Structures are given as C-alpha cells and as structure tokens.
Amino acid sequence: MDLLSRKATCNSHGQDSSYFLGWEEYEKNPYDAIKNPHGIIQMGLAENQLCFDLLESWLAHNPDAASFKRDGQSIFRELALFQDYHGLSSFKNALADFMSENRGNRVSFDPNNLVLTAGATSANETLMFCLADPGDAFLLPTPYYPGFDRDLKWRTEVEIVPIQCSSTNGFRITKLALEEAYEQAKKLNLNVKGVLITNPSNPLGTTTTETELNILFEFISKHKNMHLVSDEIYSGTAFSSSEFISVKEILKNNQLENTDVFNRVHIVYSLSKDLGLPGFRVGAIYSNDKDVISAATKMSSFGLVSSQTQYLLSALLSDKKFTKNYLRENQKRLKNRQRKLVSGLDAIGIGCLKSNAGLFCWIDMRHLLNSNTFEAEMDLWKKIVYEVKLNISPGSSCHCEEPGWFRVCFANMSEETLKLALKRLKRFVSDEISMRNCQHSESQRLKSSRKKTMTTVSNWVFRLSFHDREAEER
C-alpha cells in the first residue's frame, strides 16, 4: 500500500517549470554585492522593494500600530485570542477604501463583499473551489503567470485552456482567440466555467484595454453559466491610475449592476505587489454573489490573515495622507525604474513590449535564438542563468506560443544591481553577436572556398572533355 496520497505524490504542482527551476538555481548561488558578487542576480521575482522607505517611515511615526497598542494601551491579548474568520471590520473597511483609491475613486467596494485570504494564491484557489468542479475548465489568455498552473489546478483539479494571444497585436485578447479557445475546450470535452485574466497583466506589464474587457463581458453574457475572474493584484502598479480599468468599472459604466452578469464577475486582490508586502500574506476575494462570499468565507478558515497583521495594516491604510502619497510615489518610482531597464536593454539591442504597469518587462530576444524553437529558447535561458548569472523567466514557462520572449523583473533590486545585470547582459549579447559574425564569416569563407574548388574542378573537367573530343575527331 502506498504511504502517501495520490495528491501528495502527483507531479501536477508545476514545480518542474523553468520558472521555479530558475529560483532554485538562484537560491544555490544568490548574488550579494559583498559576500557573493559573482552570484546569480534574481530577476525572476516580481517583488516591489522601491517604496520600503515610505513604509518604514510610517512605522517609525506610528509606534502604537507596530507595537499593538491603541491610544497607548496594549491590545496584545485582544489580538492574540481567537478572532472570527470573517476578519476585523476595521481592516476590511480600510482595505475596501484602499481598493477604491487605487482605482481613482471611480468605483466603490462594499467591505461586506470581501473575503480575506492568505494572499492572492489562496484567493484564486478558493475561487476555483467555489466556481468549478474537478474536470471543469477556465480559459486564460497567454502568456500568463506560471504559478497559475499550481494555484488554479493542483488541488482543485480544474483545467486551464489557453487563449492564444500573439505578438502581432501586442498579445491583446481578441474575439477570435477567445472563441477558438472555447471551441478547443469543447473538443476536449471540457465544461468551461469561465475566463480568468490578470489586469494589469503578469508577465506583459500592460493594462487590459476597455475593448478587451468588453469582448470578455460579451462572451460571458452570451454564455449564461460562465464567470469572469479578474486578478487585479497589480492594480496599484499602473504608472497612471487612469490607464487601469477594473472590471468593476465596466459593470458600472455598462449598467450591468442589475443583470445576471453582475453576480458572475469576481475580483482577486492582494497587498503583495502594490504595498510590497508578500510576506504579510494578505489577499482578498471581492464578489457580488452572496453564495460565493458565504462559501469562500467558510473556506478562508484554512488560510487566515493574522489579527496582528490586520490591525497593523488597518491603521496604515486608514491614514489617507499616507496612502495618497504612497500610491503617487509608487507609480512614479516604478515608471522611472522601468524606463531605466527599457533604455538599458535598448542600448544592448534588445526590445521590449510597450508596457504601462507591473514590476517587470516582457522582452524580445528572438534574434538571439539559434532557431525558432522552444528548445533554442531553453538553450538561451540556460546560458543566461548559468553563464550570465541572471535568473529571468522564459516565455515558455508563461505558455507563450512564440519562442524567444522573456519576463525580466526590475523592482526587487537596487539601481546598482540593475546596472550590473545590464552590464552582464551587454557583455553576453556582444559575445554572442561576435561569435555569430565569426561563424558567418567562416561559413562564407568555406562557401567561397568550395565554390572556387568546384570552379577549378569544373574547368579541369571541361578541358579534359575538350581534349578527349579533339582526340576522337582526329
């Protein structure tokens, strides 16, 4: 008899993806400016470390929140004892207000429609448990976050069917691609329960356009049993809040609040990216469906946010002066850092997809492939990880259908480290191009040599044949 369950021993977690393997190599040999200057620089982790000084400054000026006090009196016992898994009302109110502020206050959020979870990972999985049964499917536009193969599928046994998007239109969602994915799911005898998007996109760093969102709303309106899940974990990373359009805004603008579509649209959010607090494990589900809220709240008992964390963050998010300044400064710093990466790559001869959000760039290295294959992409990725000592994510790990695209993160390191990474990459690209030029020159030389040899042989054969005919005639 097997000692472990089928779930424990199956290999569907996705840990063998190059996305996770790159992390493993980094952890074996992490870069450190002093201790390990020749180590691997982590550019595969979408972490936001650009505004830690603002958070630390707030903590220094608000010692009561950090030491679990209220009006100077300790509330440690109150927070240490059992708390209902519905969450602290003070935190849910503050989080709902912050989500609205993130969207330029164009929409509002009801804290009663929020379910707190231990990060967006837990939120997405919980939604899959609520919306789909094992064997059902969700459609996802490619390229998509590699962790979704784990988050959405591993324990729920829900299937993912890709909506194949192309570089020809900047990887935008089209009505044709959406319908093709749906037809593909039908061919596989899969019951499609909905569409899940990340807006802004991970790994593209682009906000979903109103045109794309309307295509999605038309699709789920046509299919009455389908849901639309919008993972908006990167909403606060848009370089301008006016460029980000939430599905909540489409519901409002298209006057869909009193239609059946209203209850089939759900939002996932987290403070991991906007505030740079992935270690705090704070995520949320927002839904207008009371049954989804009820079921998700029950499931949240398996992944709660600690009362201490909620208390601290409720104080921080309730400080409107701080949140207003933070969101503005965060957008500014992300935009400036992205420009440094893009301009640095451009100087090397590497292009990027035009982006306006996120903690990463989707870069085009197709010209560095030995062939237009995913095998060539993996060969290039291995060189970059093991020789250049940069951990980046290959497009194939994001299910991109075109070899040669890579995700490169820029907000999880200092500016000096970014400069070093670009310096390493520049040297590598220069060496690669020089080597190819040499190979090309050698190939041309050999071709020229063979041509001369063939010409000589041809002339000799011609002369020999001419003399033979002369002899015959004589």
Side-chain angles (χ1 to χ4, degrees):
M1 180 181 291
D2 293 332
L3 292 176
L4 300 179
S5 69
R6 177 178 59 83
K7 183 62 65 182
T9 55
C10 73
N11 61 358
S12 60
H13 179 275
Q15 197 71 31
D16 57 349
S17 163
S18 52
Y19 171 73
F20 291 110
L21 293 178
W23 280 28
E24 291 178 10
E25 293 307 312
Y26 164 76
E27 288 166 0
K28 294 175 188 175
N29 184 24
Y31 167 80
D32 184 276
I34 305 300
K35 298 178 182 178
N36 191 21
H38 302 294
I40 296 175
I41 296 175
Q42 175 63 290
M43 303 187 84
L45 178 60
E47 237 175 25
N48 185 3
Q49 299 184 21
L50 301 188
C51 289
F52 272 167
D53 60 312
L54 301 181
L55 295 167
E56 289 169 338
S57 175
W58 185 89
L59 289 170
H61 288 90
N62 295 271
D64 271 13
S67 55
F68 310 125
K69 292 180 180 180
R70 184 187 297 126
D71 300 324
Q73 299 297 313
S74 174
I75 58 168
F76 175 78
R77 289 190 179 189
E78 177 184 329
L79 296 174
L81 296 175
F82 175 78
Q83 296 288 338
D84 188 274
Y85 49 66
H86 286 79
L88 301 181
S89 59
S90 59
F91 176 61
K92 293 177 77 172
N93 289 333
L95 181 61
D97 286 345
F98 184 69
M99 290 172 67
S100 179
E101 188 176 9
N102 241 345
R103 292 153 181 79
N105 290 309
R106 296 183 295 273
V107 289
S108 60
F109 292 85
D110 183 350
N112 294 316
N113 290 2
L114 277 174
V115 179
L116 302 181
T117 63
T121 296
S122 177
N124 277 310
E125 184 188 55
T126 298
L127 265 180
M128 290 301 105
F129 274 123
C130 290
L131 305 179
D133 289 313
D136 288 342
F138 263 76
L139 310 181
L140 270 68
T142 62
Y144 63 77
Y145 166 53
F148 279 150
D149 292 321
R150 168 202 62 197
D151 303 352
L152 308 182
K153 294 173 56 177
W154 184 40
R155 297 198 299 182
T156 67
E157 298 184 4
V158 169
E159 298 295 330
I160 292 176
V161 177
I163 303 169
Q164 298 292 1
C165 301
S166 165
S167 64
T168 56
N169 71 340
F171 296 98
R172 293 295 179 184
I173 301 168
T174 65
K175 187 174 182 178
L176 177 61
L178 186 58
E179 292 294 345
E180 286 178 346
Y182 179 61
E183 291 302 319
Q184 177 62 24
K186 286 171 61 178
K187 288 179 183 177
L188 296 171
N189 294 318
L190 294 173
N191 178 36
V192 179
K193 293 304 296 285
V195 183
L196 186 146
I197 63 170
T198 305
N199 181 26
S201 168
N202 175 14
L204 299 178
T206 56
T207 53
T208 307
T209 65
E210 187 172 3
T211 298
E212 291 174 283
L213 290 171
N214 282 328
I215 288 172
L216 294 169
F217 271 87
E218 288 172 12
F219 182 75
I220 67 164
S221 296
K222 182 172 70 173
H223 300 281
K224 302 299 183 182
N225 63 333
M226 285 196 196
H227 300 266
L228 174 59
V229 178
S230 181
D231 185 337
E232 300 183 358
I233 188 174
Y234 291 99
S235 56
T237 71
F239 303 156
S240 170
S241 60
S242 63
E243 295 183 48
F244 168 67
I245 305 173
S246 170
V247 290
K248 192 81 160 59
E249 294 176 64
I250 300 295
L251 285 171
K252 177 184 176 182
N253 297 342
N254 293 2
Q255 299 180 332
L256 295 170
E257 286 95 337
N258 296 317
T259 69
D260 66 315
V261 173
F262 189 62
N263 287 345
R264 293 190 277 123
V265 177
H266 320 277
I267 294 173
V268 167
Y269 185 59
S270 167
L271 297 179
S272 296
K273 310 303 181 181
D274 293 349
L275 282 184
L277 300 174
F280 277 41
R281 307 310 306 149
V282 179
I285 295 168
Y286 188 86
S287 176
N288 297 305
D289 189 320
K290 300 303 179 184
D291 290 334
V292 169
I293 292 298
S294 175
T297 300
K298 294 170 187 173
M299 292 182 186
S300 71
S301 62
F302 297 101
L304 297 173
V305 182
S306 75
S307 300
Q308 293 86 348
T309 299
Q310 292 185 56
Y311 176 73
L312 171 61
L313 293 179
S314 66
L316 184 144
L317 295 180
S318 297
D319 186 339
K320 298 306 178 186
K321 182 179 179 181
F322 169 80
T323 56
K324 182 178 180 180
N325 177 66
Y326 179 92
L327 286 171
R328 182 176 59 246
E329 188 64 23
N330 185 49
Q331 291 169 345
K332 177 183 174 182
R333 294 185 188 186
L334 286 173
K335 185 176 183 178
N336 288 339
R337 178 59 66 82
Q338 185 255 23
R339 283 177 175 173
K340 285 183 169 63
L341 174 61
V342 171
S343 62
L345 291 171
D346 185 60
I348 300 171
I350 296 175
C352 301
L353 182 72
K354 186 177 181 181
S355 59
N356 61 348
L359 313 175
F360 30 71
C361 283
W362 189 240
I363 72 171
D364 184 1
M365 292 201 283
R366 287 176 291 181
H367 61 295
L368 295 176
L369 298 181
N370 290 323
S371 62
N372 186 33
T373 63
F374 287 111
E375 289 77 12
E377 179 183 275
M378 290 307 296
D379 289 341
L380 177 59
W381 175 72
K382 289 174 183 177
K383 285 182 181 180
I384 293 173
V385 172
Y386 295 107
E387 298 176 20
V388 189
K389 303 292 180 63
L390 302 177
N391 176 37
I392 64 177
S393 304
S396 54
S397 70
C398 303
H399 299 272
C400 181
E401 66 169 0
E402 302 172 22
W405 291 89
F406 292 79
R407 190 192 74 164
V408 176
C409 300
F410 57 75
N412 63 326
M413 65 191 74
S414 68
E415 192 170 328
E416 291 72 24
T417 304
L418 179 62
K419 288 178 181 177
L420 176 60
L422 288 169
K423 184 179 179 180
R424 289 183 181 182
L425 195 56
K426 180 180 181 180
R427 188 185 309 120
F428 168 73
V429 172
S430 178
D431 290 346
E432 282 287 300
I433 292 175
S434 295
M435 182 180 69
R436 290 190 183 192
N437 287 339
C438 287
Q439 290 175 342
H440 179 72
S441 298
E442 179 64 14
S443 176
Q444 291 297 107
R445 188 189 67 78
L446 290 173
K447 284 182 180 179
S448 177
S449 177
R450 284 197 295 270
K451 188 175 181 181
K452 288 179 180 178
T453 301
M454 291 302 293
T455 300
T456 301
V457 170
S458 179
N459 289 339
W460 180 79
V461 170
F462 174 78
R463 287 196 301 271
L464 181 62
S465 177
F466 178 78
H467 291 309
D468 285 347
R469 285 200 302 272
E470 272 193 326
E472 288 176 4
E473 288 173 1
R474 285 196 298 267

